Amino acid sequence: QFQMIKHEDLQLKESLGQGSFTRIFKGSMTDIRDGEKHVTDVLLKLLDESHNKCWESFFNAASLMSQISHKHLLLVYGISVHRYQNIVVQELVKCGALDLYLRKRGRSVPVSWKLDVAKQLACVLNFLEEKNIVHGNICAKNVLLAREGDSSGTSPFIKLSDPGIGLTVLGREVLLDRIPWVAPELVEAPESLELGCDKWSFGTTLWEIYNGGKAPLQGQDPQQKLQFYKNLEQLPPPEWPELADLIGRCMDYEPALRPSCRGIIRQLNSLIASDYVLLCDPQASTA
Ligand code: ATP
Ligand code: MG
């Protein structure tokens, strides 16, 4: 069910950093279509050789993505296995990860832009929910920006990336590090991944988006993060009450009480960016 890509058809270019047990590179892929040679820019995810025993979970994440298709889901071209190297070949998304983008642009990102991105993410989550597919690693880092959009009215356009290696395989250290994205019920039972877990992570991601890509609970060590969940704490709510309500409903410690994706979309649609401007930034509305 996988497109196997020959190692010699891939070219590794500059590094984009590291992920969970992975190294990420820009690259290109050569293929022959209709007798013609095509070169496509791609993103290459290499599994760390020291974690080669995780190959099955690593490729499962890519497999999940190649079985379903949605405009806001990242395209996976295939995999390549060469000697000890396991590689996933996927679409290179132009503007990179959402968290980095928001941190770089800071306060210049309008609230209406953030709302657009949140609605697109809710839309793809709704698609997954209808198919009964759990993603398992929703966070701003895994939301990629295919199009920035501009002030003349073109919207941003996002692609949700693959979930990567599963939590049960990654181990406890990574799991604790993923607080407060990982749903609290997974801390003691990481194998019990369910649709409700993505709702919690969506709430955390919304919080990140509205806080300019700032990492929640930044600087806290794993034991402090664990304590945050043990105390049933919540992230500092945004000053926008309707948004704070939505984040709070997604990040409910009782999974059964979290909203459906349809409910999330309905609530997002009722949030009007101009209300926020009037509430939090009265100067902006007169500009
Ligand atoms: P995880 O499973 O934890 O998500 P990962 O292996 O997917 O780990 P990331 O940390 O998500 O690695 O990605 C590392 C960086 O690579 C991101 O911050 C982003 O800048 C870049 N990146 C990842 N995927 C793409 C892509 N498809 N297009 C462009 N840039 C990407
Ligand atoms: Mg990722």
Side-chain angles (χ1 to χ4, degrees):
Q1 103 237 32
F2 259 132
Q3 184 76 28
M4 292 297 291
I5 298 169
K6 289 208 282 300
H7 194 259
E8 56 266 33
D9 290 340
L10 294 174
Q11 206 193 348
L12 223 67
K13 293 178 184 163
E14 71 258 40
S15 164
L16 289 179
Q18 301 188 337
S20 311
F21 297 1
T22 58
R23 286 176 298 144
I24 317 281
F25 292 89
K26 264 190 195 171
S28 60
M29 171 176 73
T30 309
D31 63 330
I32 312 284
R33 260 175 282 146
D34 314 320
E36 263 184 82
K37 188 173 147 182
H38 292 262
V39 180
T40 315
D41 288 330
V42 294
L43 183 114
L44 301 170
K45 243 188 219 198
L46 279 65
L47 179 61
D48 286 338
E49 283 181 25
S50 59
H51 291 114
N52 264 350
K53 61 176 190 309
C54 307
W55 67 273
E56 204 169 355
S57 183
F58 178 65
F59 285 145
N60 266 342
S63 159
L64 168 86
M65 302 293 284
S66 41
Q67 283 167 36
I68 46 181
S69 134
H70 186 272
K71 61 182 177 180
H72 292 302
L73 266 189
L74 185 78
L75 217 62
V76 171
Y77 295 122
I79 64 169
S80 177
V81 179
H82 179 72
R83 297 212 188 102
Y84 297 108
Q85 223 162 54
N86 297 307
I87 306 176
V88 170
V89 184
Q90 51 180 233
E91 178 183 3
L92 178 70
V93 179
K94 222 174 91 212
C95 312
L98 180 63
D99 61 335
L100 297 176
Y101 180 85
L102 289 168
R103 271 180 244 155
K104 193 175 71 196
R105 299 293 304 272
R107 286 179 58 88
S108 69
V109 181
V111 172
S112 56
W113 189 99
K114 295 178 176 181
L115 260 181
D116 274 345
V117 165
K119 284 177 191 170
Q120 291 174 17
L121 183 57
C123 167
V124 59
L125 279 186
N126 184 53
F127 169 82
L128 293 174
E129 185 188 63
E130 281 174 352
K131 295 219 156 347
N132 208 16
I133 295 172
V134 184
H135 183 277
N137 194 4
I138 306 285
C139 56
K141 186 190 76 170
N142 281 338
V143 173
L144 304 164
L145 208 51
R147 193 174 69 208
E148 245 183 291
D150 58 34
S151 48
S152 71
T154 54
S155 309
F157 198 88
I158 62 147
K159 301 262 182 169
L160 178 63
S161 182
D162 68 280
I165 299 166
L167 271 178
T168 50
V169 177
L170 287 168
R172 189 147 180 95
E173 197 183 325
V174 178
L175 187 141
L176 295 184
D177 190 55
R178 287 199 184 161
I179 295 176
W181 288 273
V182 67
E185 63 272 20
L186 293 176
V187 171
E188 296 316 326
E191 67 290 345
S192 58
L193 193 63
E194 286 180 38
L195 282 172
C197 303
D198 282 345
K199 310 286 166 45
W200 175 284
S201 310
F202 176 80
T204 315
T205 307
L206 255 189
W207 189 96
E208 280 185 282
I209 294 173
Y210 279 85
N211 286 284
K214 179 172 143 187
L217 306 188
Q218 198 172 28
Q220 297 204 10
D221 64 40
Q223 285 314 311
Q224 289 172 309
K225 288 184 163 197
L226 195 57
Q227 205 53 47
F228 178 88
Y229 278 179
K230 286 200 172 138
N231 299 340
L232 308 183
E233 285 180 69
Q234 292 289 338
L235 297 173
E239 327 74 293
W240 189 4
E242 289 82 4
L243 178 72
D245 178 68
L246 176 56
I247 293 175
R249 277 154 40 86
C250 292
M251 299 180 79
D252 195 308
Y253 279 81
E254 174 51 54
L257 295 180
R258 294 173 201 151
S260 65
C261 284
R262 285 180 169 279
I264 291 175
I265 291 171
R266 216 177 302 120
Q267 207 169 343
L268 278 173
N269 282 335
S270 72
L271 292 175
I272 310 287
S274 57
D275 292 352
Y276 175 84
V277 172
L278 288 171
L279 176 79
C280 304
D281 203 359
Q283 238 116 64
S285 61
T286 55

